[in-house]
Amino acid sequence: MTDISIVDYGSGNLKSVYNSVKLCCDNKHSSSKIRVTNNKKTIDNSTHLILPGVGSFKSCVNGLKNKGTLFETIYDNISSKGKPFLGICVGMQMLFSEGYEDGKTNGLGLIPGKVTKINPKHHNYKIPHIGWNNLFLKNIHPFLNTLEENGLVFKEMQPNAYFVHSYSCKPEDKKHVILSTDYSEEISAMVAKENILGTQFHPEKSHTFGLNFLKSFLSWNPE
């Protein structure tokens, strides 16, 4: 049985993420449990973790650290226990070594790299970046096989997804960028490393594509 913890640390689009995950479970994973929680025991007993994020890099990291041992609990469940993990928007950004929104702040450090402000080369590109953008396949990761099982074959389609952000993830190793989008500069739209997934786009706001993406995550069993 899939047991999903959506991490609540006082930030993040929790209701929308919960409703989207619930819809996926109602259709395909009816026996699943979904909890919005910051309880260590609940997170430790879950099979899948989702970390939403709305706000600044600094405020979200501080939100995790201000909830007792939540920062350490998430790190342990991802790195030591190897659970399937999905970080959404700032939840993805916090996977990185450091972010530079409201000053330099250290992240979880699970993917080496930095999170810096988007610097458009043309005045037509407004910040924050809000709206739908095409996704481009950059590198291969085993999770793509699960996506294909749910009909998302990136070599044969040009999906788009919904973005709301002002900062962009820049991993040290480019192989961690699985999907990209273009917004005056190349933006890391999805990153992955072993059991870790991160999306700069919001799957919970990306209609049919987003729901299929979440379904794929819920059925994903990284080895």
Side-chain angles (χ1 to χ4, degrees):
M1 180 182 69
T2 306
D3 192 329
I4 307 125
S5 284
I6 301 172
V7 181
D8 179 10
Y9 56 100
S11 178
N13 193 21
L14 295 175
K15 184 176 181 180
S16 180
V17 172
Y18 173 84
N19 288 338
S20 295
V21 172
K22 186 175 185 303
L23 183 60
C24 293
C25 290
D26 288 345
N27 291 338
K28 191 173 180 180
H29 302 270
S30 58
S31 63
S32 298
K33 292 182 179 178
I34 314 165
R35 299 181 177 90
V36 177
T37 183
N38 54 37
N39 181 271
K40 181 182 185 326
K41 184 177 180 180
T42 301
I43 293 172
D44 285 342
N45 289 333
S46 66
T47 62
H48 290 65
L49 297 180
I50 298 177
L51 181 65
V54 174
S56 72
F57 186 102
K58 183 175 183 177
S59 68
C60 288
V61 169
N62 287 341
L64 289 177
K65 291 186 173 181
N66 290 336
K67 295 288 185 182
T69 61
L70 186 58
F71 187 93
E72 292 79 11
T73 297
I74 292 172
Y75 185 93
D76 180 58
N77 274 270
I78 300 171
S79 63
S80 299
K81 299 180 180 179
K83 293 180 182 177
F85 173 88
L86 173 61
I88 299 173
C89 198
V90 185
M92 162 176 153
Q93 295 177 6
M94 288 190 288
L95 292 168
F96 283 75
S97 308
E98 55 199 35
Y100 288 85
E101 189 171 6
D102 297 333
K104 180 182 175 181
T105 305
N106 291 332
L108 287 160
L110 292 160
I111 298 180
K114 300 178 179 180
V115 183
T116 59
K117 192 167 186 177
I118 301 170
N119 184 25
K121 299 177 178 63
H122 194 281
H123 68 274
N124 287 341
Y125 292 86
K126 305 299 182 184
I127 301 298
H129 167 212
I130 301 176
W132 293 83
N133 273 75
N134 288 336
L135 301 174
F136 302 94
L137 181 64
K138 299 295 291 186
N139 288 293
I140 301 299
H141 182 270
F143 179 65
L144 294 177
N145 295 328
T146 307
L147 288 177
E148 290 188 3
E149 292 170 6
N150 285 283
L152 301 179
V153 184
F154 280 88
K155 295 177 182 177
E156 300 175 1
M157 62 190 298
Q158 186 69 79
N160 57 14
Y162 190 81
F163 292 80
V164 183
H165 66 119
S166 300
Y167 283 73
S168 174
C169 297
K170 298 192 168 50
E172 291 179 6
D173 192 335
K174 299 299 183 184
K175 75 179 182 183
H176 292 142
V177 180
I178 307 305
L179 302 176
S180 70
T181 193
D182 180 71
Y183 193 73
S184 180
E185 63 179 66
E186 186 173 274
I187 303 289
S188 300
M190 173 187 164
V191 297
K193 179 185 176 185
E194 299 169 348
N195 59 302
I196 304 169
L197 304 178
T199 62
Q200 188 62 70
F201 60 86
H202 287 266
E204 78 280 7
K205 296 181 179 180
S206 297
H207 298 176
T208 302
F209 165 76
L211 289 177
N212 285 334
F213 187 96
L214 289 172
K215 289 177 188 175
S216 299
F217 172 70
L218 298 180
S219 62
W220 186 41
N221 183 25
E223 297 180 353

